[in-house]
Amino acid sequence: MYLEGSCRCGAVTFNCDAYAPVPYLRCYCSICRKTDGGGGYAINLGAHADSLEVRGAENLSVYSATIDGQPSPAERRFCRRCGSALWVSDPRWPELLHPFASAIDTPLPTPPQTVHMMLADKPDWICADIRDGDETHDGYPDLSLRDWHDEHDLLG
Ligand SMILES: [Zn+2]
Ligand SMILES: [Zn+2]
């Protein structure tokens, strides 16, 4: 699925082709929550890294988190003017790009279920909206973005 996205101030716009365009996966880890999730979580999509086209790339900045004292190779790109979180990539999986659903302007499909991950890291003040048919995981879910989309016949 062809996706267009942008930061809030418009200094950065981008497009990419997503194989996993359904915003079903909510991550409550502190990195997602603090960099892209005031409501408690961020939603990652799956796209092909080589399809990414960026306008205003000079306005990008990058954040790599420290996890358990170790620097993470994952690169979180955001607009240095307005702070909008845009996407995550990782040199260990150079073919993958994970845009945040919050940065996407193209209407996204409505997910048939929500998978809540990293709930062990969720502070008590966040009332996770867990509905019938949802999945909950303290850590990582069983299925990758690609496998979940494949199982639901929703590969984009
Ligand atoms: Zn911006
Ligand atoms: Zn996370």
Side-chain angles (χ1 to χ4, degrees):
M1 182 176 173
Y2 176 77
L3 299 181
E4 293 186 334
S6 61
C7 67
R8 180 62 185 84
C9 79
V12 181
T13 60
F14 65 97
N15 58 267
C16 58
D17 289 314
Y19 61 86
V22 180
Y24 75 96
L25 184 62
R26 298 185 180 186
C27 183
Y28 297 83
C29 85
S30 64
I31 307 169
C32 288
R33 172 160 38 86
K34 294 210 174 203
T35 62
D36 183 43
Y41 54 85
I43 300 177
N44 289 276
L45 307 175
H48 301 289
D50 61 3
S51 71
L52 178 66
E53 295 179 328
V54 182
R55 288 159 300 283
E58 67 276 15
N59 297 304
L60 289 172
S61 193
V62 63
Y63 170 63
S64 291
T66 300
I67 301 173
D68 299 331
Q70 299 290 327
S72 166
E75 299 174 353
R76 294 169 175 262
R77 292 282 183 321
F78 62 96
C79 174
R80 67 181 180 201
R81 292 197 187 188
C82 70
S84 295
L86 298 170
W87 63 80
V88 184
S89 59
D90 192 317
R92 291 171 291 182
W93 297 280
E95 69 281 10
L96 302 182
L97 178 81
H98 296 298
F100 291 116
S102 54
I104 299 301
D105 299 310
T106 304
L108 295 171
T110 301
Q113 70 166 168
T114 297
V115 175
H116 304 263
M117 66 179 276
M118 298 292 188
L119 283 167
D121 293 346
K122 181 185 78 58
D124 288 341
W125 65 264
I126 299 164
C127 302
D129 182 20
I130 298 168
R131 305 182 183 205
D132 286 350
D134 284 1
E135 281 180 37
T136 59
H137 299 275
D138 281 344
Y140 283 96
D142 308 323
L143 297 177
S144 68
L145 280 163
R146 178 182 295 283
D147 290 345
W148 182 93
H149 280 71
D150 195 18
E151 182 153 291
H152 290 82
D153 212 14
L154 289 169
L155 277 174

